Amino acid sequence: MRAYGPGRGLRVAAAAAVAAMAAAPLATAQDIPLNYERLSSMEEPLATEIGDLTLTLTGLIDAPLAFDAENDEAVESGLVGNFQLGALAQLRNRWRVGVAYFGQYATDRRFTSEPHRQYTDNAALSVGGVWGTVSGGNVSGAVREGTRRRRGAGNAVLALDGALGGLADLGGSYTGRFGPWVIGAAVDEDGNFDIGATFRRPIQHIDHRLSLNVSNAVYVPVGGRRSFDSRAVAGVGEVIHGSTVFDLGLGHERLSSRGRDVRRLYVSAGTRGKAGALGWTLEAHCGRIAGESEISLALGAQYDLARGLSANLGLNHGRASADAGGEGLLDLRDTRTILSARYSF
């Protein structure tokens, strides 16, 4: 996961300890965070028991149609499907052991975070107890996924929302819950790391969430000939009142390579809500990188047609361009409308 993409492959290894899935309750072996894509099922997993083993399954199928405003003749269509399969058992000492596998296939590679691959997958092993959960495998994205702002409704995708740098594919993880805090860290096969903490507690009728993420990672620009060391810190504040959510994210990132240092500052904010069968999201992002501006906007809507079946809309715009020492650092010009029918289970 050098830039934006998730860890890939069936490589499952219990690597040296450490990572956290923050914004949720204490992770158990059955909910190892492996889906770092924008599409995830909102349904409860299907589950069955075979002896002492519990099997779980979630998944979705999405049929998107995208219109690219940067190219009047560009109309993209495809089919995206993903699933996560888990197996969980409890030992006599009450430790929970589990294995999980996530896979996603896209007929058009432009609808995935890894545009050079149509099929991507992650896998992991975990052991958990009252002391927390330790996982190994493709879990290096767990901290970022847990401490980031919520993903948009429908087909909203807010570009540049977070640090540019990311961890490598294989890693180890630990997460533990201490009262209202969920704290952990992730380390990858190259020794880079993410550390995250989330505090969540209701006050009267309003739920509050605060999260902090510190990372030491690597960023490789698309088509770039060199990599950049990324050191970043990001925080998110969120309030929930009824069915309405307001959140704000702030971040600072330092990119360095061969004596060249680039600083990046950004702020992202959004609101989302639900009225009957209609869910919606409105998000905005602005920042500065290498003295140049970056901006993105996203509007999303999801209309529930039946259990698991929905119609989705996304209006997404992003624009950013920056160089470092004459080499391209960031180049984004995208204005896209995405419509899709989606079924999740």
Side-chain angles (χ1 to χ4, degrees):
M1 189 168 32
R2 296 297 187 184
Y4 294 99
R8 300 302 177 205
L10 284 169
R11 296 171 293 176
V12 177
V18 292
M21 179 181 122
L26 175 61
T28 64
Q30 73 185 63
D31 57 12
I32 305 170
L34 293 179
N35 184 0
Y36 313 133
E37 301 285 348
R38 68 176 184 87
L39 297 178
S40 62
S41 175
M42 301 301 293
E43 300 294 320
E44 290 294 324
L46 303 175
T48 186
E49 291 187 2
I50 301 178
D52 295 330
L53 189 67
T54 300
L55 301 178
T56 62
L57 174 67
T58 61
L60 67 80
I61 299 174
D62 188 71
L65 181 64
F67 304 88
D68 188 351
E70 302 291 337
N71 183 349
D72 294 336
E73 299 181 357
V75 177
E76 307 163 3
S77 62
L79 186 67
V80 181
N82 65 40
F83 68 94
Q84 181 161 329
L85 178 65
L88 172 71
Q90 184 167 305
L91 305 179
R92 292 185 178 181
N93 61 2
R94 298 188 180 275
W95 286 10
R96 301 176 303 273
V97 296
V99 60
Y101 177 81
F102 170 82
Q104 175 166 293
Y105 178 80
T107 57
D108 191 316
R109 289 170 289 184
R110 287 169 289 189
F111 291 106
T112 71
S113 62
E114 291 272 353
H116 60 287
R117 299 184 62 186
Q118 288 181 301
Y119 184 77
T120 55
D121 58 356
N122 300 324
L125 298 169
S126 71
V127 178
V130 295
W131 37 266
T133 300
V134 174
S135 303
N138 301 124
V139 295
S140 54
V143 170
R144 178 170 299 184
E145 197 63 30
T147 57
R148 59 167 291 154
R149 294 180 54 254
R150 294 179 183 234
R151 293 185 181 273
N155 287 313
V157 181
L158 187 65
L160 305 172
D161 185 18
L164 298 178
L167 303 187
D169 288 353
L170 195 63
S173 75
Y174 167 80
T175 180
R177 187 171 186 78
F178 307 91
W181 291 90
V182 177
I183 299 175
V187 63
D188 69 9
E189 55 190 317
D190 298 324
N192 296 310
F193 61 85
D194 271 349
I195 299 174
T198 291
F199 175 89
R200 185 166 190 170
R201 173 165 286 178
I203 300 177
Q204 295 183 345
H205 303 296
I206 300 178
D207 188 41
H208 297 76
R209 176 172 75 97
L210 297 173
S211 66
L212 179 67
N213 174 248
V214 178
S215 67
N216 184 91
V218 174
Y219 171 60
V220 181
V222 176
R225 292 173 294 178
R226 62 176 176 177
S227 62
F228 290 80
D229 293 328
S230 167
R231 294 174 176 82
V233 57
V236 172
E238 176 187 272
V239 295
I240 304 175
H241 184 266
S243 60
T244 305
V245 179
F246 301 93
D247 61 16
L248 175 70
L250 301 171
H252 174 270
E253 185 172 17
R254 179 182 177 184
L255 301 169
S256 58
S257 177
R258 302 175 189 172
R260 173 69 175 178
D261 282 346
V262 174
R263 296 189 182 274
R264 176 175 180 250
L265 293 169
Y266 63 87
V267 57
S268 302
T271 180
R272 66 183 298 160
K274 191 168 180 65
L278 178 65
W280 52 270
T281 293
L282 178 62
E283 304 172 275
H285 167 96
C286 64
R288 298 283 293 178
I289 177 171
E292 303 292 336
S293 62
E294 56 181 55
I295 186 171
S296 62
L297 303 168
L299 170 65
Q302 175 176 318
Y303 188 82
D304 299 326
L305 301 172
R307 179 177 175 85
L309 180 64
S310 63
N312 299 271
L313 167 69
L315 303 175
N316 305 308
H317 170 76
R319 196 168 296 271
S321 179
D323 292 327
E327 185 170 339
L329 182 67
L330 186 61
D331 186 14
L332 173 67
R333 294 175 59 90
D334 185 55
T335 303
R336 186 175 302 191
T337 300
I338 305 175
L339 301 171
S340 73
R342 184 177 305 158
Y343 177 73
S344 62
F345 60 87

